[in-house]
Amino acid sequence: MAPPLQDLRRLLRGVSLVALEAARRSPALESARAGDFETLISRTLKSAVVSATDIAGLTRGRPHLVSAPRTKESIVYFSDQVPEEAVARSEHQQGGSREAPAVEIEEKVLTSEDSKDAKARGELKDLDGNCGHKDQILDASRGRSDGDGGGGGKSDVTVVPLKRRRPRERRVPSTPFSRALGFAGLGAGLAWGTIQESAKRIVFGMPKTDEKQPSLSPFLSEQNAERLALALCRMRGAALKLGQMLSIQDETLVPAPILAALEIVRQGADVMPRSQLNEVLDAELGPDWSSKLRSFDYEPLAAASIGQVHRAVMKDGLEVAMKIQYPGVADSIESDIENVRRLLDYTNLIPKGLFLDKAMKVAKEELSRECDYVLEATNQKRFRELLSGSEGFYVPMVFDEISSRRVLTTELVTGIPIDKVALLSQETRNYVGKKLLELTLKELFVFRFMQTDPNWGNFLYDETAKMINLIDFGAAREYPQHFVDDYLRMVMACANSDRDAVIEMSRRLGFLTGEESEVMLEAHVQAGFIVGLPFSKPGGYDFRSTNIAQSISSLGATMLKHRLTPPPDEAYSLHRKLSGAFLACIKLGAVVPCRELLLQVYQRYQFSNDDAEILSGSV
């Protein structure tokens, strides 16, 4: 069977399984069995059509319009009189006019011309000063490869033309039934896109590609990639979270249309309508939740995978960020991931060497923890205490009195996401890269407690204070002492190019079984040496000199083919964070004294057992 038809057959089979799951979960199934066909037709059928077409992109929902720059209608004040400081701030930004006294302008809306001017001056920063998910408007057609980034240093950053999207205001599909229908609609849309692309290739021939890159499957067309990304933004929840995890990948390893689609995913999700947002707040904090606040901004600072963040002001005038979870997300994790697994499995996009079932099992456990905001609040308080004496890091306070299992309120902090630091001076980029790697090593080898989500927006750099503000601790987890002991020994072995120690530690940790072929062992060891390269020599390591991820990718096919066992559970979150730290340094083009940072940790480390000999040779 021809490859395009084979791909399409797998895809349709996956869609049919998702559709069967949707039918099985239908709340109207019992009504139909009882003969109540009016309920079946008027409710279920209508819901099915709307959900499927909406998620597949055939319907578009209502555009989410940001308030005009001279009004801030999204802010609601919970008192009879607007605070004087809000009026003063409004007057200042409106040139003294009092035409709209109940206005608080907190966001700057840039036109395309404004963004060009700001970019030319090197003033491109986070527009809302908070979570980094609002669009930093880039003039993608012009690029940037030779400016000083506003910081006086040489910048090697090139802005890649990526599509931007305006968020839509849509109710979150909150039941397993509606979400399963959404996946079925997505699958149907992907199938139709595959047919279109296959027909286009038959008529017009194969699309032109780089000589070094093979032609993409019809399933991975630009239109299908965008269709998938937009559907994930509409679905939100675990499905979008998986897409955002994939978005923190090295750009050389991801085909261009997929990279553009993942950038859409990383920009954020669609927005809950005000009515649904109020339903969540009422259910979680009680109908009198507004009595605890001076004001609340219904325009979100960020719309992410599990919830959206809103600015509010406490009674004492302190600005806070309220993270509000989408309804039904926590209850649909298992069904979401299972539906994603079906689509991935039957489209044959995931190699068997990735052990998809194991990866999905770990993802379910991690996402379940992330949906528990009480646990996240505990994690954040713990990190605030652990980093209280560390220079260059700040963890915001948590306010328990206006938090719950699905709402988390914390101190509002400012800064630009780490990837935007790439537009600043070389000195600043070196500083931030060093602090990120220092934090990563300290989390694993000192605290044994790590925030494992490397999303750029979770690290906000305040240039004035030279401070990295840390947010979002839902993915934090502990690592057992024995695992950290052996992992540190393996890192040292990789840094010192000690082949025998790398193999021994890999077996003790569970990366190898001891039955691997020599081909697999050699690929595994070489990958370890590449990762250890920044730690191999004293002095500053220039992350612009070698693309570590690209070097490892050349060994990836061999390891996927010959791997006998999935990685240990701890490795999934740990390697996501470690790769995120390396990719951040690559993105920044930072020069970092990696070996010195590692040796500082290693020489102070207290192993838990007696065999603390240095297996990796001399340090």
Side-chain angles (χ1 to χ4, degrees), residues 6 19 101 146-147 189 208 239-240 285 296 313 368 398 422 437 455 519 524:
Q6 192 175 25
D146 58 358
K208 294 181 180 180
L240 178 59
L285 302 178
F296 181 85
V313 179
S368 295
V398 174
L437 196 56
N455 191 302
V519 173
H524 179 80

Side-chain angles (χ1 to χ4, degrees), residues 17-27 176-177 179-182 184 339:
L17 287 175
V18 175
L20 287 173
E21 178 71 7
R24 186 179 70 81
R25 292 177 178 272
S26 172
F177 174 63
R179 298 186 71 80
L181 283 174
N339 286 327

Side-chain angles (χ1 to χ4, degrees), residues 324-335:
I324 303 161
Q325 192 172 123
Y326 301 127
V329 164
D331 298 328
S332 63
I333 291 173
E334 186 158 348
S335 61

